[in-house]
Amino acid sequence: AGSCGQLSPLIELATVDPANNVLPRGQTGEIWLRGATLMSGYWRNPKATTAAMHDGWFASGDVGYMDDEGFLFIVDRIKDIVNRGGEKIASAEVESCLLLHPAIAEAAAFGVPDARYGEVLAVVVTLRAHQTIDTDGIRAHVAAHLAPFKVPAHVIIRHEDMPRNPAGKLLKRALREEFLTQDH
């Protein structure tokens, strides 16, 4: 449960650190793929090809690990990792934690600039009908389940629906831009 399954025998997988060093099995890093069924580059886009391809490996932008039984687990997207003073925070982990609270209907976590840490975590939540919780209660909930550095610096309780694209995907970028234009 929670895994994406096992790899096809036609595909090789490596997880790499930010310096593109291959990590041992079980360690979390960016997922790189290589195999006969993968693309060799983007059509008529050499710049995107150079950014995504590394000696035949495709850098997926997904963060994950492979367990000892060969099951792949995707933890987050690189763009959704918050770097708080060198500590890495997976937005998906914080969102999952928030959704465990019975008052919270939806949650989005993202990084915002910070003078001291470079970046800190901000979360936006919507509440279930007839439920209440304040920002301190939300922080306390996260603190009870995750490491202290993963407790959000900013908490916004949103009373309207989260922004979504036509396919229904939550638009975190729009939430982040909205946050950045407000005084905090």
Side-chain angles (χ1 to χ4, degrees):
S3 136
C4 299
Q6 295 181 315
L7 285 180
S8 160
L10 302 174
I11 299 291
E12 293 178 75
L13 179 138
T15 54
V16 300
D17 66 16
N20 296 342
N21 298 310
V22 175
L23 298 169
R25 183 176 273 207
Q27 286 194 14
T28 301
E30 182 178 13
I31 297 169
W32 284 16
L33 303 166
R34 176 170 68 182
T37 60
L38 284 173
M39 68 175 189
S40 59
Y42 287 99
W43 178 253
R44 295 184 181 168
N45 194 340
K47 187 176 181 180
T49 298
T50 300
M53 303 303 292
H54 305 275
D55 294 324
W57 288 92
F58 171 67
S60 71
D62 292 317
V63 177
Y65 66 93
M66 183 166 291
D67 72 7
D68 291 335
E69 296 179 44
F71 287 92
L72 175 63
F73 293 82
I74 295 178
V75 176
D76 215 332
R77 293 278 304 155
I78 285 179
K79 292 178 182 174
D80 285 340
I81 299 291
V82 177
N83 184 351
R84 180 189 177 271
E87 296 282 353
K88 305 291 192 262
I89 305 168
S91 296
E93 178 184 23
V94 176
E95 291 164 355
S96 293
C97 175
L98 289 165
L99 293 173
L100 292 174
H101 195 285
I104 297 174
E106 285 189 295
F110 48 88
V112 295
D114 181 75
R116 180 175 181 194
Y117 293 105
E119 189 175 37
V120 293
L121 185 68
V123 298
V124 178
V125 301
T126 60
L127 303 182
R128 296 186 188 282
H130 312 296
Q131 296 291 314
T132 60
I133 187 171
D134 63 11
T135 57
D136 289 337
I138 291 170
R139 284 188 183 98
H141 173 74
V142 175
H145 295 88
L146 301 177
F149 69 90
K150 296 179 181 181
V151 175
H154 304 281
V155 176
I156 294 95
I157 299 172
R158 188 177 172 99
H159 299 287
E160 59 272 349
D161 290 339
M162 299 272 201
R164 298 187 179 282
N165 71 12
K169 183 176 187 252
L170 181 68
L171 297 174
K172 274 197 210 182
R173 183 175 297 154
L175 287 171
R176 184 176 188 275
E177 289 170 8
E178 184 179 300
F179 175 89
L180 293 173
T181 60
Q182 298 173 353
D183 275 339
H184 297 282

